[in-house]
Amino acid sequence: MSFGACTELSHFLAVASFKPNSHNCKCTATINHSFLNAIGGNNRALSMSNLKKNDTRVVAVRAEGQGLTYKDSGVDIDAGSELVRRIAKMAPGIGGFGGLFPLGDSYLVAGTDGVGTKVMLAFETGIHDTIGIDLVIKGIVDGCKQSDCALLGGETAEMPGLYKEGEYDLSGCAVGIVKKDSVINGKDITAGDILIGLPSSGVHSNGFSLVRRVLEKSGLSLKDKLPGASTTVAEALMAPTKIYVKQVLDIVSKGGVKGIAHITGGGFTDNIPRVFPEGFGASIYKDSWEMPAVFKWLQEAGKIEDSEMMRTFNMGIGMVLVVTPEAANRILENGNDTDKAYRIGEVISGNGVTYC
Protein backbone atom coordinates (compact mmCIF):
# COMPACT_ATOMS: atom_id res chain seq x y z
CA MET A 1 0.00 0.00 0.00
CA SER A 2 1.06 3.59 -0.58
CA PHE A 3 -0.64 6.31 1.43
CA GLY A 4 -0.28 10.07 1.72
CA ALA A 5 0.43 11.83 4.99
CA CYS A 6 -1.76 11.50 8.09
CA THR A 7 -2.58 7.84 7.48
CA GLU A 8 -5.18 6.21 9.72
CA LEU A 9 -5.66 2.71 8.30
CA SER A 10 -8.46 2.33 10.79
CA HIS A 11 -10.56 4.48 8.49
CA PHE A 12 -10.76 1.48 6.17
CA LEU A 13 -11.46 -1.50 8.45
CA ALA A 14 -14.06 -3.20 10.83
CA VAL A 15 -14.33 -5.62 14.00
CA ALA A 16 -14.78 -9.37 15.52
CA SER A 17 -16.15 -11.81 18.31
CA PHE A 18 -15.68 -13.98 21.51
CA LYS A 19 -18.00 -15.88 23.96
CA PRO A 20 -20.71 -15.10 26.51
CA ASN A 21 -20.28 -12.14 28.85
CA SER A 22 -18.32 -13.35 31.84
CA HIS A 23 -18.67 -10.02 33.62
CA ASN A 24 -22.24 -10.79 34.79
CA CYS A 25 -23.03 -7.12 35.06
CA LYS A 26 -26.13 -5.06 34.49
CA CYS A 27 -25.82 -2.66 31.58
CA THR A 28 -27.22 0.82 31.31
CA ALA A 29 -28.41 1.94 27.90
CA THR A 30 -27.27 5.22 26.41
CA ILE A 31 -29.78 8.04 26.50
CA ASN A 32 -30.94 10.73 24.12
CA HIS A 33 -28.26 13.35 24.75
CA SER A 34 -30.01 16.07 22.75
CA PHE A 35 -33.23 15.69 24.75
CA LEU A 36 -31.51 15.58 28.14
CA ASN A 37 -29.40 18.60 27.27
CA ALA A 38 -32.55 20.44 26.24
CA ILE A 39 -34.40 19.73 29.48
CA GLY A 40 -31.51 20.24 31.87
CA GLY A 41 -29.37 17.13 32.00
CA ASN A 42 -30.60 14.39 34.31
CA ASN A 43 -33.72 16.24 35.48
CA ARG A 44 -36.28 14.02 33.76
CA ALA A 45 -39.17 15.68 35.62
CA LEU A 46 -39.01 18.78 33.42
CA SER A 47 -41.49 18.78 30.55
CA MET A 48 -41.21 20.59 27.24
CA SER A 49 -44.03 22.92 28.32
CA ASN A 50 -42.07 23.78 31.48
CA LEU A 51 -39.03 24.42 29.33
CA LYS A 52 -40.87 26.99 27.24
CA LYS A 53 -42.34 28.75 30.27
CA ASN A 54 -39.21 28.69 32.40
CA ASP A 55 -36.26 28.89 30.00
CA THR A 56 -34.19 31.07 32.36
CA ARG A 57 -34.71 28.78 35.33
CA VAL A 58 -33.84 25.65 33.35
CA VAL A 59 -30.65 27.14 31.99
CA ALA A 60 -29.65 28.25 35.47
CA VAL A 61 -30.21 24.76 36.91
CA ARG A 62 -28.14 23.23 34.14
CA ALA A 63 -25.29 25.69 34.50
CA GLU A 64 -25.01 25.09 38.24
CA GLY A 65 -25.77 21.39 38.36
CA GLN A 66 -23.92 19.95 35.39
CA GLY A 67 -20.30 19.68 34.47
CA LEU A 68 -18.71 20.78 31.23
CA THR A 69 -19.86 19.32 27.91
CA TYR A 70 -18.38 19.19 24.43
CA LYS A 71 -21.37 21.10 23.05
CA ASP A 72 -20.94 23.87 25.62
CA SER A 73 -17.32 24.11 24.44
CA GLY A 74 -18.49 24.85 20.91
CA VAL A 75 -18.58 21.41 19.24
CA ASP A 76 -21.97 19.89 18.36
CA ILE A 77 -21.44 16.22 17.44
CA ASP A 78 -25.07 15.82 16.37
CA ALA A 79 -24.81 18.75 13.95
CA GLY A 80 -21.59 17.33 12.51
CA SER A 81 -23.18 13.91 11.99
CA GLU A 82 -26.15 15.53 10.27
CA LEU A 83 -23.80 17.39 7.92
CA VAL A 84 -22.08 14.13 6.95
CA ARG A 85 -25.46 12.46 6.42
CA ARG A 86 -26.57 15.22 4.06
CA ILE A 87 -23.31 15.13 2.10
CA ALA A 88 -23.54 11.34 1.82
CA LYS A 89 -26.96 11.69 0.18
CA MET A 90 -25.33 13.62 -2.65
CA ALA A 91 -22.13 11.52 -2.74
CA PRO A 92 -22.95 7.84 -1.92
CA GLY A 93 -19.28 6.80 -2.13
CA ILE A 94 -18.55 8.59 1.15
CA GLY A 95 -18.13 6.01 3.89
CA GLY A 96 -18.17 6.01 7.67
CA PHE A 97 -14.39 6.38 8.04
CA GLY A 98 -13.22 6.68 4.43
CA GLY A 99 -14.52 6.79 0.87
CA LEU A 100 -14.33 4.09 -1.82
CA PHE A 101 -13.75 4.67 -5.55
CA PRO A 102 -14.05 1.68 -7.94
CA LEU A 103 -10.86 0.89 -9.87
CA GLY A 104 -11.11 -2.39 -11.78
CA ASP A 105 -11.17 -5.26 -9.29
CA SER A 106 -10.10 -2.90 -6.49
CA TYR A 107 -11.16 0.24 -4.69
CA LEU A 108 -9.15 3.36 -4.07
CA VAL A 109 -9.74 4.23 -0.42
CA ALA A 110 -9.29 7.78 0.81
CA GLY A 111 -9.82 9.80 3.93
CA THR A 112 -8.90 13.33 4.97
CA ASP A 113 -8.68 15.04 8.32
CA GLY A 114 -7.05 17.82 10.27
CA VAL A 115 -5.47 18.19 13.70
CA GLY A 116 -8.25 20.39 15.07
CA THR A 117 -7.87 22.71 18.04
CA LYS A 118 -4.97 20.64 19.39
CA VAL A 119 -2.85 23.06 17.33
CA MET A 120 -3.83 25.81 19.78
CA LEU A 121 -2.10 23.91 22.58
CA ALA A 122 0.88 23.43 20.28
CA PHE A 123 1.09 27.22 19.99
CA GLU A 124 0.94 27.60 23.79
CA THR A 125 3.37 24.81 24.66
CA GLY A 126 5.79 25.24 21.78
CA ILE A 127 5.59 21.48 21.22
CA HIS A 128 5.24 21.05 17.46
CA ASP A 129 7.10 17.84 16.61
CA THR A 130 4.61 15.49 18.31
CA ILE A 131 1.53 17.10 16.83
CA GLY A 132 2.89 16.22 13.40
CA ILE A 133 1.99 12.55 13.74
CA ASP A 134 -1.39 14.17 13.76
CA LEU A 135 0.27 16.22 10.95
CA VAL A 136 3.44 18.57 11.21
CA ILE A 137 6.66 18.29 9.20
CA LYS A 138 8.93 16.07 11.32
CA GLY A 139 5.84 14.42 12.78
CA ILE A 140 4.42 13.77 9.34
CA VAL A 141 7.63 11.99 8.34
CA ASP A 142 7.63 9.97 11.58
CA GLY A 143 4.00 9.01 11.07
CA CYS A 144 4.62 7.80 7.54
CA LYS A 145 7.59 5.71 8.67
CA GLN A 146 5.48 4.12 11.41
CA SER A 147 2.79 3.17 8.92
CA ASP A 148 5.00 2.22 5.94
CA CYS A 149 3.46 4.98 3.85
CA ALA A 150 4.87 7.07 1.04
CA LEU A 151 4.79 10.81 1.71
CA LEU A 152 3.55 12.52 -1.43
CA GLY A 153 3.50 16.19 -2.41
CA GLY A 154 0.96 18.64 -1.06
CA GLU A 155 0.16 22.33 -0.92
CA THR A 156 1.94 24.87 1.26
CA ALA A 157 0.29 28.30 1.18
CA GLU A 158 1.17 31.63 2.77
CA MET A 159 -1.95 33.58 3.70
CA PRO A 160 -1.11 36.88 5.45
CA GLY A 161 -4.00 38.13 7.53
CA LEU A 162 -5.71 34.76 7.87
CA TYR A 163 -3.44 33.43 10.63
CA LYS A 164 -1.73 35.39 13.38
CA GLU A 165 2.06 35.36 13.47
CA GLY A 166 3.31 31.99 14.72
CA GLU A 167 0.03 30.19 13.97
CA TYR A 168 -0.77 27.59 11.31
CA ASP A 169 -3.31 24.93 10.47
CA LEU A 170 -2.86 21.42 9.11
CA SER A 171 -4.81 18.89 7.12
CA GLY A 172 -3.84 15.70 5.38
CA CYS A 173 -5.17 13.04 3.05
CA ALA A 174 -4.49 9.30 3.05
CA VAL A 175 -5.03 7.19 -0.06
CA GLY A 176 -4.75 3.40 -0.37
CA ILE A 177 -6.01 0.53 -2.50
CA VAL A 178 -7.82 -2.68 -1.56
CA LYS A 179 -9.19 -5.61 -3.55
CA LYS A 180 -12.98 -5.56 -3.69
CA ASP A 181 -13.19 -9.04 -2.17
CA SER A 182 -10.94 -8.00 0.73
CA VAL A 183 -12.93 -5.00 1.96
CA ILE A 184 -13.74 -5.19 5.67
CA ASN A 185 -17.13 -3.51 5.87
CA GLY A 186 -18.87 -4.99 8.90
CA LYS A 187 -21.67 -6.69 6.93
CA ASP A 188 -21.02 -10.09 8.55
CA ILE A 189 -20.99 -8.81 12.14
CA THR A 190 -23.49 -10.59 14.38
CA ALA A 191 -24.42 -10.90 18.05
CA GLY A 192 -21.71 -12.67 20.05
CA ASP A 193 -18.82 -11.19 18.12
CA ILE A 194 -16.12 -9.74 20.36
CA LEU A 195 -14.86 -6.18 20.65
CA ILE A 196 -11.07 -5.97 20.94
CA GLY A 197 -9.67 -2.59 22.01
CA LEU A 198 -6.19 -1.33 21.15
CA PRO A 199 -4.86 1.22 23.66
CA SER A 200 -4.44 4.87 22.79
CA SER A 201 -1.48 7.05 23.70
CA GLY A 202 -3.73 9.67 25.27
CA VAL A 203 -6.28 12.18 23.97
CA HIS A 204 -5.01 11.82 20.37
CA SER A 205 -6.57 14.74 18.45
CA ASN A 206 -10.26 14.73 19.42
CA GLY A 207 -12.06 16.61 22.14
CA PHE A 208 -9.56 19.44 22.51
CA SER A 209 -12.19 22.19 22.59
CA LEU A 210 -13.47 20.57 25.78
CA VAL A 211 -9.92 19.85 26.99
CA ARG A 212 -9.06 23.54 26.79
CA ARG A 213 -12.20 24.47 28.74
CA VAL A 214 -11.30 21.98 31.46
CA LEU A 215 -7.72 23.28 31.60
CA GLU A 216 -9.01 26.83 32.01
CA LYS A 217 -11.38 25.79 34.80
CA SER A 218 -8.89 23.52 36.60
CA GLY A 219 -6.50 26.25 37.70
CA LEU A 220 -3.52 24.21 36.49
CA SER A 221 -0.98 25.47 34.00
CA LEU A 222 0.46 23.46 31.14
CA LYS A 223 3.73 23.24 33.08
CA ASP A 224 2.11 21.73 36.18
CA LYS A 225 2.32 18.03 36.89
CA LEU A 226 -0.72 16.09 35.75
CA PRO A 227 -2.50 14.63 38.80
CA GLY A 228 -1.88 10.90 39.05
CA ALA A 229 0.91 10.91 36.45
CA SER A 230 4.65 11.58 36.18
CA THR A 231 4.29 13.94 33.22
CA THR A 232 3.26 17.56 32.95
CA VAL A 233 -0.17 18.57 31.70
CA ALA A 234 1.42 19.75 28.44
CA GLU A 235 3.28 16.47 27.87
CA ALA A 236 0.14 14.43 28.51
CA LEU A 237 -2.05 16.50 26.21
CA MET A 238 0.52 16.77 23.41
CA ALA A 239 1.38 13.06 23.29
CA PRO A 240 1.41 12.01 19.62
CA THR A 241 -1.51 10.00 18.29
CA LYS A 242 -0.75 6.29 18.12
CA ILE A 243 -0.47 4.87 14.60
CA TYR A 244 -2.14 1.44 14.39
CA VAL A 245 -1.39 0.46 10.79
CA LYS A 246 1.20 -2.29 11.33
CA GLN A 247 -0.56 -3.82 14.33
CA VAL A 248 -3.93 -3.86 12.57
CA LEU A 249 -2.54 -5.25 9.32
CA ASP A 250 -0.87 -8.06 11.25
CA ILE A 251 -4.12 -8.92 13.04
CA VAL A 252 -6.15 -8.72 9.81
CA SER A 253 -3.70 -11.02 8.00
CA LYS A 254 -4.49 -13.82 10.46
CA GLY A 255 -8.23 -13.70 9.74
CA GLY A 256 -11.39 -13.32 11.79
CA VAL A 257 -11.67 -9.52 11.64
CA LYS A 258 -15.16 -8.36 10.64
CA GLY A 259 -15.01 -4.65 11.32
CA ILE A 260 -12.81 -1.85 12.64
CA ALA A 261 -13.83 1.44 14.26
CA HIS A 262 -11.44 4.30 14.87
CA ILE A 263 -12.39 6.04 18.12
CA THR A 264 -12.29 9.67 17.02
CA GLY A 265 -14.88 12.44 17.41
CA GLY A 266 -18.00 10.89 18.91
CA GLY A 267 -16.01 8.55 21.15
CA PHE A 268 -17.29 5.05 21.82
CA THR A 269 -20.95 5.96 21.67
CA ASP A 270 -21.01 7.18 18.07
CA ASN A 271 -18.08 5.42 16.39
CA ILE A 272 -18.54 1.76 17.27
CA PRO A 273 -22.12 1.42 15.92
CA ARG A 274 -21.00 2.90 12.60
CA VAL A 275 -19.50 -0.45 11.56
CA PHE A 276 -22.52 -2.56 12.59
CA PRO A 277 -25.32 -3.82 10.36
CA GLU A 278 -28.79 -2.58 11.28
CA GLY A 279 -30.17 -4.23 14.41
CA PHE A 280 -26.91 -4.71 16.31
CA GLY A 281 -25.31 -2.75 19.12
CA ALA A 282 -22.42 -3.01 21.55
CA SER A 283 -22.06 -3.87 25.22
CA ILE A 284 -18.90 -2.26 26.61
CA TYR A 285 -17.16 -3.42 29.81
CA LYS A 286 -16.00 -0.09 31.22
CA ASP A 287 -13.35 -1.46 33.59
CA SER A 288 -11.76 -3.92 31.16
CA TRP A 289 -8.80 -1.73 30.14
CA GLU A 290 -6.32 0.67 31.73
CA MET A 291 -7.58 4.25 31.54
CA PRO A 292 -4.79 6.87 31.25
CA ALA A 293 -4.58 9.42 34.06
CA VAL A 294 -5.33 12.28 31.67
CA PHE A 295 -8.94 11.13 31.25
CA LYS A 296 -9.47 10.75 35.00
CA TRP A 297 -8.17 14.29 35.49
CA LEU A 298 -10.35 15.69 32.68
CA GLN A 299 -13.48 14.13 34.15
CA GLU A 300 -12.79 15.22 37.72
CA ALA A 301 -11.61 18.74 36.90
CA GLY A 302 -14.47 19.36 34.46
CA LYS A 303 -17.11 17.45 36.46
CA ILE A 304 -17.95 15.72 33.20
CA GLU A 305 -20.63 13.02 33.20
CA ASP A 306 -19.74 9.47 32.17
CA SER A 307 -21.97 9.61 29.09
CA GLU A 308 -20.27 12.81 27.91
CA MET A 309 -16.79 11.35 28.43
CA MET A 310 -17.67 8.23 26.43
CA ARG A 311 -19.09 10.30 23.58
CA THR A 312 -16.22 12.80 23.42
CA PHE A 313 -12.93 11.02 24.19
CA ASN A 314 -11.29 7.69 23.33
CA MET A 315 -10.91 6.96 27.07
CA GLY A 316 -7.71 4.99 26.47
CA ILE A 317 -8.87 2.88 23.51
CA GLY A 318 -8.02 4.35 20.12
CA MET A 319 -9.10 1.48 17.87
CA VAL A 320 -11.79 -1.18 18.23
CA LEU A 321 -11.81 -4.39 16.19
CA VAL A 322 -14.91 -6.58 15.85
CA VAL A 323 -13.68 -10.17 15.62
CA THR A 324 -14.82 -13.78 15.90
CA PRO A 325 -14.44 -15.50 19.29
CA GLU A 326 -11.59 -17.61 17.90
CA ALA A 327 -9.74 -14.54 16.59
CA ALA A 328 -10.28 -12.79 19.92
CA ASN A 329 -8.62 -15.64 21.80
CA ARG A 330 -5.64 -15.57 19.44
CA ILE A 331 -5.24 -11.77 19.61
CA LEU A 332 -5.39 -11.72 23.40
CA GLU A 333 -2.97 -14.65 23.75
CA ASN A 334 -0.43 -12.99 21.45
CA GLY A 335 -0.62 -9.56 23.06
CA ASN A 336 2.53 -8.03 24.57
CA ASP A 337 3.73 -4.78 26.11
CA THR A 338 4.29 -3.27 22.66
CA ASP A 339 1.04 -4.39 21.04
CA LYS A 340 -1.44 -4.64 23.89
CA ALA A 341 -5.06 -5.60 23.28
CA TYR A 342 -8.09 -5.82 25.55
CA ARG A 343 -11.41 -7.63 25.36
CA ILE A 344 -13.64 -4.63 25.98
CA GLY A 345 -17.09 -5.92 25.06
CA GLU A 346 -19.26 -7.79 22.61
CA VAL A 347 -21.85 -7.30 19.90
CA ILE A 348 -25.47 -7.59 21.03
CA SER A 349 -28.88 -7.51 19.38
CA GLY A 350 -30.45 -4.06 19.43
CA ASN A 351 -29.12 -0.61 18.66
CA GLY A 352 -26.65 1.78 20.28
CA VAL A 353 -24.00 1.24 22.94
CA THR A 354 -24.52 0.14 26.53
CA TYR A 355 -21.93 0.38 29.31
CA CYS A 356 -21.55 -1.92 32.28
Side-chain angles (χ1 to χ4, degrees):
M1 295 186 186
S2 178
F3 290 81
C6 190
T7 292
E8 305 269 1
L9 187 69
S10 55
H11 288 203
F12 318 134
L13 308 173
V15 186
S17 94
F18 199 45
K19 267 297 185 200
N21 178 1
S22 60
H23 288 65
N24 296 319
C25 54
K26 294 181 179 179
C27 296
T28 303
T30 53
I31 55 179
N32 186 316
H33 301 278
S34 300
F35 180 66
L36 285 185
N37 282 340
I39 64 174
N42 292 324
N43 191 345
R44 294 185 177 85
L46 292 173
S47 67
M48 294 310 292
S49 59
N50 285 338
L51 178 62
K52 294 174 182 176
K53 289 165 57 179
N54 302 301
D55 282 346
T56 303
R57 179 181 64 81
V58 171
V59 171
V61 168
R62 184 163 181 263
E64 293 174 11
Q66 276 195 321
L68 298 177
T69 68
Y70 206 13
K71 188 172 183 178
D72 292 339
S73 302
V75 179
D76 189 332
I77 294 174
D78 292 322
S81 297
E82 175 62 17
L83 174 63
V84 173
R85 187 188 69 80
R86 292 185 183 185
I87 294 174
K89 275 188 172 182
M90 297 180 283
I94 293 177
F97 293 96
L100 301 177
F101 182 83
L103 185 68
D105 63 351
S106 301
Y107 287 112
L108 286 180
V109 189
T112 188
D113 208 346
V115 176
T117 58
K118 187 174 183 177
V119 297
M120 299 179 76
L121 287 180
F123 304 153
E124 291 185 51
T125 61
I127 301 173
H128 301 282
D129 57 338
T130 60
I131 198 175
I133 272 196
D134 307 317
L135 264 176
V136 186
I137 312 185
K138 180 179 180 295
I140 293 175
V141 175
D142 290 343
C144 287
K145 287 179 179 177
Q146 288 182 30
S147 54
D148 281 341
C149 292
L151 178 60
L152 305 179
E155 178 69 14
T156 300
E158 296 184 49
M159 295 177 284
L162 183 59
Y163 301 112
K164 297 177 183 178
E165 184 176 350
E167 292 186 356
Y168 56 83
D169 198 7
L170 302 161
S171 63
C173 177
V175 179
I177 190 167
V178 60
K179 293 290 185 182
K180 289 181 178 178
D181 59 4
S182 298
V183 173
I184 298 174
N185 54 20
K187 65 181 179 64
D188 296 325
I189 291 173
T190 189
D193 284 341
I194 302 305
L195 305 181
I196 296 294
L198 307 183
S200 69
S201 54
V203 185
H204 285 186
S205 60
N206 295 99
F208 274 87
S209 294
L210 181 53
V211 166
R212 290 184 294 109
R213 284 290 300 275
V214 172
L215 181 61
E216 179 183 355
K217 180 178 179 179
S218 72
L220 294 181
S221 76
L222 289 166
K223 295 180 180 179
D224 288 330
K225 184 178 178 181
L226 179 73
S230 59
T231 61
T232 64
V233 173
E235 290 168 339
L237 295 178
M238 296 305 296
T241 296
K242 184 172 180 179
I243 303 280
Y244 297 96
V245 174
K246 292 181 180 179
Q247 184 180 6
V248 170
L249 285 176
D250 180 62
I251 292 173
V252 169
S253 70
K254 294 178 173 63
V257 177
K258 296 184 176 183
I260 301 174
H262 188 210
I263 309 304
T264 55
F268 278 68
T269 304
D270 285 5
N271 284 294
I272 295 176
R274 290 165 71 182
V275 302
F276 292 164
E278 187 66 30
F280 294 103
S283 176
I284 302 295
Y285 315 140
K286 290 198 300 183
D287 298 323
S288 58
W289 70 90
E290 299 174 26
M291 186 185 300
V294 65
F295 296 110
K296 297 175 183 178
W297 169 71
L298 285 168
Q299 183 164 23
E300 292 173 4
K303 296 181 173 61
I304 304 172
E305 295 183 0
D306 286 349
S307 60
E308 189 71 16
M309 291 292 294
M310 299 302 285
R311 199 185 184 208
T312 304
F313 301 112
N314 66 60
M315 303 301 286
I317 297 293
M319 189 77 72
V320 174
L321 296 89
V322 184
V323 305
T324 64
E326 295 77 18
N329 286 332
R330 182 181 65 246
I331 293 167
L332 295 172
E333 288 171 359
N334 294 335
N336 53 53
D337 290 340
T338 302
D339 293 326
K340 286 185 179 179
Y342 300 96
R343 178 177 182 245
I344 66 167
E346 63 185 282
V347 180
I348 59 174
S349 296
N351 293 308
V353 179
T354 61
Y355 299 95
C356 60

